[in-house]
Amino acid sequence: MPTLSHFDSDQDRFRLRVVVAAVTVLVCFGLLVWRLFNLQVLRHEELSTRAEANRIAVLPIVPNRGRIVDRNGVVLATNYTAYTLEITPSKVEDLEGTIAGLSTFIDIQARDRKRFKRQLEESKSFESLPIRNRLSDEEVARFIAHRYRFPGVEIKARLFRHYPFGEVGSHLLGYIGRINQAEKLAMEDWDEERQANYRGTEYIGKLGLEQRYEEALHGVTGFEEVETTAGGRAVRRLRSQPPTPGHTLVLSIDIRLQAMVEELFGERRGALVAIDPRNGEVLAFVSKPTFDPNLFVDGIDAENWKELNESIDKPLLNRALRGTYPPGSTYKPFMAMAALNSGKRGPSVIIHDNGSFFFGGHRYGSPENEKGGAMDMRRSIVESSNVYYYTLANEMGVDLIHEQLSPFGFGRRTGIDLEGELTGVLPSTEWKRRVNKRPENKKWYAGETISLGIGQGYNNFTMLQMASALSTLVSGGQRYEPRLVREIESAIDGGRRRVSAAALAPLPLKPEHVAVIRDAMYGVTVAGTSTRVFAGAPYLSGGKTGTAQAVGLKGNAKYSANRMAEHLRDHSLYVAFAPRDEPHIALALIVENAGWGAAAAAPIARRVFDHVLLGLDPSPEDVALTRQGLSAAPVGAQRPASSVPLPRLAGVEPAVPAAPASAAAPRAAPAASAARPARPASSGTTP
């Protein structure tokens, strides 16, 4: 039977439990109130923003890429819309099974699978990747009918880049391609605004003007805010800002001239650069062979890549920009100007040319067809006397030659608006010390100077440098940074901003010295090595042929093209300007391994001048002869340049109707080594 003391003890324990329970309830309630206060008051703005972000999705709208047109408005690069079949790997359980299922009613070839696999390796699993591009309307309809079977697969409308003239001008235009992992990593270093402008962008300029003017061509990315459900499904559009298309690049290039020159080269390798000396605008920028940039837009397949990358002709090498060559006898007018400028030799000084020059027990020869005799400066250029320039180089020395010719741009970048330009080599004693590691190779030997006078030895330049230097010379010293882009046309108001070639400080050339060189080069076309080529021309021009060794000859070995492999034969060069007294065009060109300069290179220059100055293109039979190196002056009836059809691609970009309701909004869609440098010449080269 419980006692009173037991009752009191139980009552005390009960009270304690009530107090503990009450305190616990109060603490929990206090925590709840604090949590509510924290969420509703202290973190209200943060959580409200987060909730709004969960409710609203911001989708980037990629702008249309800007066009590229030539100086006359001919479109060289544009865009078109086409349907693509795309897979989001993270939403697909069986990727191979899905592709196999799709291929039962949509043509998916092996190259499509390879491209998809390559892009899958470079991308994130939640990104949408195309398995087939350019679907027909019938294929789109078939997929829509079977769409329920393929979660994670959808039809999208994308923008594709199109180069309507295919291989014409490919080295200057470049191409666009899918952004790879290395480029994505590089983009992480961009400022926040620039990164934001590339959200949603999958393609970027990879080469040429597409790369150099990427930001101008890209445009400004727009956005669209949409309200979404918890499952991510869009229910309504809240607001949007349309994208601003990329600007249009208006080039200084004349695509008709460009196409004509490329046709005249035929299957031969080489380069040509033509510049307007009055403003630095580039009129033609040719590198042969070329490639079709359209191959790279979707991602080039392995077969085409192998063919381009492993070809002995190196079609991916931009020879005008990155091919360096010994200039041969085309260097002689510059050596003559260096002599006049430095006071080492006047125009009337006579050097007797007996066909040989001896130095240090070594004989430096001249071509067998050289006339020889008493040479003043004019005749030395007209008849291309080697001995005259052997002696001049010996008198000047390598460092004075470097000092005089470096301001013309030899051995340095011209500043053209393309990436990847090589500097070439204008040798000096300091240069040799810098590039050689072994002490015994650092010393400059006097015998190495001799061949420099005729454009051999260590001399190696690009055709861009040669054309720019000639432009400076014949214009009386006026210098420009060459420019391919003439104007940038705004996508907003159509206004055009002039992209002027930067005028550099002019060289202090004396007019009487310039007149001597101009007159001597004019003599080449009327009494020298290119007389037959310019016979009957209704304008006066100046030029200089050159033949440069691709490989050096041992000892006193004689050059014989017939006994040498084609890629070891001499290069054919020509530099020229026209008209003689007020030059509107200066050019430099090389036809690799084609021999004598007057046979292969000079005929192309004549036809360039006829196009620019007379508006005339060669006849079909003349084109055929020039492609084979068998022409001189034009034959047959020349044609008005405007009447010659451009080599447009046979296919045209497909016209695609408005995308179906299930389709998304449109989205924007290797360097080879330079040519072999020549070894120092031990025997003379043909002019």
Side-chain angles (χ1 to χ4, degrees):
M1 181 176 182
T3 61
L4 185 59
S5 60
H6 289 156
F7 178 78
D8 291 339
S9 177
D10 290 342
Q11 191 175 34
D12 290 341
R13 283 198 297 273
F14 175 75
R15 287 174 180 163
L16 180 60
R17 290 172 182 171
V18 170
V19 170
V20 171
V23 170
T24 302
V25 169
L26 289 173
V27 169
C28 290
F29 186 74
L31 290 174
L32 183 62
V33 171
W34 166 250
R35 181 63 175 167
L36 187 63
F37 176 78
N38 184 47
L39 295 175
Q40 293 291 338
V41 179
L42 299 182
R43 301 182 61 193
H44 174 269
E45 186 174 348
E46 174 195 345
L47 296 175
S48 176
T49 302
R50 188 183 299 178
E52 191 70 9
N54 290 334
R55 182 179 71 90
I56 298 174
V58 180
L59 306 177
I61 306 175
V62 179
N64 288 357
R65 193 171 181 84
R67 301 186 308 161
I68 302 177
V69 303
D70 85 336
R71 66 188 299 121
N72 299 311
V74 179
V75 177
L76 309 180
T78 186
N79 313 296
Y80 68 93
T81 307
Y83 297 138
T84 64
L85 183 65
E86 306 207 2
I87 300 175
T88 304
S90 62
K91 297 180 180 179
V92 177
E93 294 183 1
D94 182 4
L95 194 57
E96 289 298 326
T98 297
I99 295 175
L102 290 168
S103 63
T104 59
F105 57 90
I106 290 181
D107 182 22
I108 300 177
Q109 299 182 6
R111 63 183 180 185
D112 298 317
R113 294 172 183 260
K114 289 179 181 179
R115 183 178 62 245
F116 178 82
K117 183 178 180 181
R118 185 176 66 252
Q119 292 179 358
L120 182 62
E121 293 171 351
E122 297 175 352
S123 306
K124 298 176 182 177
S125 62
F126 56 80
E127 291 180 342
S128 174
L129 303 175
I131 184 65
R132 244 298 303 280
N133 292 323
R134 300 184 181 89
L135 298 178
S136 66
D137 290 343
E138 183 180 348
E139 288 175 318
V140 171
R142 284 203 300 266
F143 173 76
I144 295 299
H146 294 273
R147 182 178 181 180
Y148 67 94
R149 296 169 46 196
F150 301 99
V153 184
E154 57 187 335
I155 294 286
K156 291 187 177 181
R158 286 184 181 265
L159 287 174
F160 288 90
R161 198 65 162 165
H162 181 62
Y163 304 94
F165 300 110
E167 295 186 357
V168 178
S170 59
H171 284 285
L172 69 96
L173 293 174
Y175 58 85
I176 67 167
R178 196 176 183 88
I179 300 174
N180 57 38
Q181 284 298 111
E183 288 163 338
K184 289 178 181 178
L185 289 174
M187 286 178 172
E188 293 178 2
D189 296 330
W190 291 1
D191 59 63
E192 187 175 342
E193 182 180 354
R194 192 179 178 197
Q195 287 189 45
N197 195 40
Y198 273 78
R199 290 197 179 104
T201 299
E202 297 181 354
Y203 294 85
I204 197 169
K206 299 281 189 175
L207 205 67
L209 294 172
E210 292 277 23
Q211 178 189 35
R212 177 64 175 79
Y213 288 90
E214 165 60 33
E215 292 195 29
L217 289 166
H218 178 268
V220 181
T221 298
F223 68 87
E224 184 178 72
E225 287 186 356
V226 295
E227 188 174 9
T228 61
T229 64
R233 181 173 176 271
V235 293
R236 67 189 178 101
R237 179 188 299 173
L238 299 178
R239 71 187 183 99
S240 65
Q241 178 176 307
T244 302
H247 299 313
T248 296
L249 301 185
V250 182
L251 307 187
S252 58
I253 294 291
D254 178 353
I255 197 61
R256 291 187 178 276
L257 174 61
Q258 180 86 15
M260 183 198 73
V261 173
E262 291 187 13
E263 184 180 15
L264 292 176
F265 267 91
E267 300 301 316
R268 299 173 297 179
R269 302 174 299 277
L272 177 147
V273 178
I275 297 176
D276 188 335
R278 300 168 298 178
N279 50 32
E281 291 183 355
V282 180
L283 306 177
F285 191 87
V286 173
S287 176
K288 287 283 291 184
T290 57
F291 61 91
D292 185 358
N294 292 295
L295 294 172
F296 292 87
V297 174
D298 296 342
I300 190 168
D301 59 83
E303 292 76 14
N304 279 312
W305 173 250
K306 182 178 180 180
E307 182 180 349
L308 290 174
N309 198 43
E310 297 181 4
S311 170
I312 192 174
D313 291 332
K314 299 180 181 178
L316 295 178
L317 171 63
N318 188 337
R319 285 169 163 80
L321 189 75
R322 297 180 58 80
T324 58
Y325 308 88
S329 292
T330 62
Y331 200 52
K332 291 174 180 176
F334 299 100
M335 285 292 297
M337 176 54 77
L340 293 171
N341 224 25
S342 63
K344 279 292 184 179
R345 189 175 288 179
S348 59
V349 173
I350 301 295
I351 301 295
H352 188 74
D353 181 355
N354 61 3
S356 300
F357 177 75
F358 291 90
F359 184 86
H362 187 83
R363 176 184 178 274
Y364 294 84
S366 294
E368 294 177 359
N369 62 343
E370 190 175 288
K371 296 177 182 178
M375 295 284 171
D376 62 7
M377 185 170 287
R378 185 181 191 278
R379 189 182 176 201
S380 75
I381 292 175
V382 172
E383 298 189 11
S384 201
S385 167
N386 277 5
V387 170
Y388 185 95
Y389 291 96
Y390 289 145
T391 61
L392 178 59
N394 186 46
E395 290 173 17
M396 293 185 67
V398 61
D399 286 332
L400 182 57
I401 294 173
H402 183 278
E403 176 188 317
Q404 288 294 318
L405 295 186
S406 179
F408 284 92
F410 292 115
R412 61 178 65 180
R413 294 181 180 88
T414 64
I416 193 172
D417 47 346
L418 285 177
E419 304 290 342
E421 180 184 2
L422 293 187
T423 61
V425 175
L426 179 65
S428 66
T429 54
E430 189 278 330
W431 166 83
K432 193 176 183 187
R433 286 194 300 269
R434 188 177 70 250
V435 299
N436 288 291
K437 295 182 179 180
R438 301 176 64 178
E440 61 270 25
N441 294 334
K442 291 178 178 291
K443 178 179 173 56
W444 184 274
Y445 297 95
E448 294 176 309
T449 306
I450 308 303
S451 292
L452 299 182
I454 63 166
Q456 291 287 166
Y458 292 112
N459 288 323
N460 268 279
F461 312 121
T462 66
M463 289 303 104
L464 174 60
Q465 287 175 322
M466 293 295 295
S468 179
L470 182 65
S471 175
T472 298
L473 177 60
V474 301
S475 67
Q478 181 58 63
R479 297 187 299 164
Y480 290 96
E481 289 186 345
R483 279 291 175 271
L484 289 162
V485 174
R486 194 181 198 184
E487 297 172 320
I488 297 180
E489 182 180 297
S490 171
I492 300 174
D493 58 12
R496 291 191 174 189
R497 175 172 63 85
R498 186 81 176 182
V499 182
S500 300
L504 306 175
L507 299 187
L509 304 182
K510 294 182 178 180
E512 58 270 26
H513 291 167
V514 174
V516 168
I517 304 303
R518 277 189 185 177
D519 181 59
M521 295 182 73
Y522 164 66
V524 173
T525 68
V526 294
T529 50
S530 62
T531 302
R532 291 179 60 246
V533 174
F534 284 88
Y539 50 83
L540 304 181
S541 67
K544 183 69 192 79
T545 55
T547 306
Q549 292 178 333
V551 293
L553 298 177
K554 296 181 179 179
N556 292 319
K558 290 187 177 181
Y559 173 81
S560 175
N562 294 332
R563 294 200 300 266
M564 302 181 75
E566 187 270 343
H567 66 280
L568 299 178
R569 297 172 187 168
D570 289 349
H571 300 314
S572 174
L573 298 99
Y574 196 67
V575 297
F577 63 93
R580 180 188 64 180
D581 298 323
E582 295 182 5
H584 295 175
I585 178 173
L587 62 79
L589 73 107
I590 184 169
V591 184
E592 290 184 12
N593 312 117
W596 193 34
I604 296 177
R606 164 70 191 270
R607 284 137 187 89
V608 169
F609 289 168
D610 286 355
H611 179 103
V612 173
L613 302 178
L614 307 177
L616 296 175
D617 275 9
S619 64
E621 56 266 40
D622 190 56
V623 170
L625 290 171
T626 304
R627 286 164 61 95
Q628 300 174 60
L630 301 176
S631 65
V635 298
Q638 291 180 295
R639 302 167 289 175
S642 58
S643 70
V644 179
L646 285 165
R648 191 177 292 270
L649 290 179
V652 296
E653 56 269 30
V656 180
S662 58
R667 292 188 288 174
S673 59
R676 260 181 218 92
R679 298 175 183 175
S682 57
S683 62
T685 56
T686 307

